[in-house]
Every structure is written in C-alpha cells, then in structure tokens.
Amino acid sequence: MVTQKSKLAERLAYEVLSPYQCPNHRHWYQKGDIVDLLPCEAEFLKLGGKVKAVLTTQQKEKANG
C-alpha cells in the first residue's frame, strides 16, 4: 500500500495586537510585531485577541478583484 505524504502546514503572517510570550522560546512579542505562525498556533492566539491576520499584497488584490 502506498502512503501519501501530508502537506506540511503553511505558516502565515500575523500582526501582534497585544504583547504575549512564546511558550517554547520564552520570547516576548510586542504590539505591532509581525510573526509567522502555524494555523493551530494562530487560532489559539486569535481567540485570545493577541494577533490578527495580515493580508499580503496578493490577498488584497484578490479581495479588491
């Protein structure tokens, strides 16, 4: 049987809205910083109001259509 490799989760850019500490590296991110997060990491921080998605220029062009 052939096993398929699953796609690696893609990191996306998020803007920090409220300072928070990374639990793995013990590094503090300040308001306005841009961080690259996995979807599972981002979901937790979005629910806590710590980050918001940053639209890239390609995403903005598609939205403006």
Side-chain angles (χ1 to χ4, degrees):
M1 181 189 249
V2 177
T3 58
Q4 294 181 345
K5 290 183 179 180
S6 61
K7 285 178 107 178
L8 293 175
E10 187 176 324
R11 291 181 177 266
L12 298 174
Y14 292 87
E15 180 181 355
V16 177
L17 299 176
S18 176
Y20 75 93
Q21 184 180 28
C22 173
N24 296 332
H25 302 285
R26 302 287 186 224
H27 174 77
W28 280 91
Y29 292 99
Q30 301 301 318
K31 183 177 180 179
D33 288 349
I34 303 296
V35 293
D36 291 328
L37 300 171
L38 295 170
C40 59
E41 297 169 327
E43 190 64 29
F44 177 77
L45 291 168
K46 284 192 299 188
L47 290 172
K50 300 287 184 185
V51 297
K52 72 172 181 177
V54 174
L55 292 178
T56 63
T57 52
Q58 290 177 348
Q59 290 173 329
K60 288 179 184 177
E61 289 172 1
K62 287 180 184 178
N64 292 335

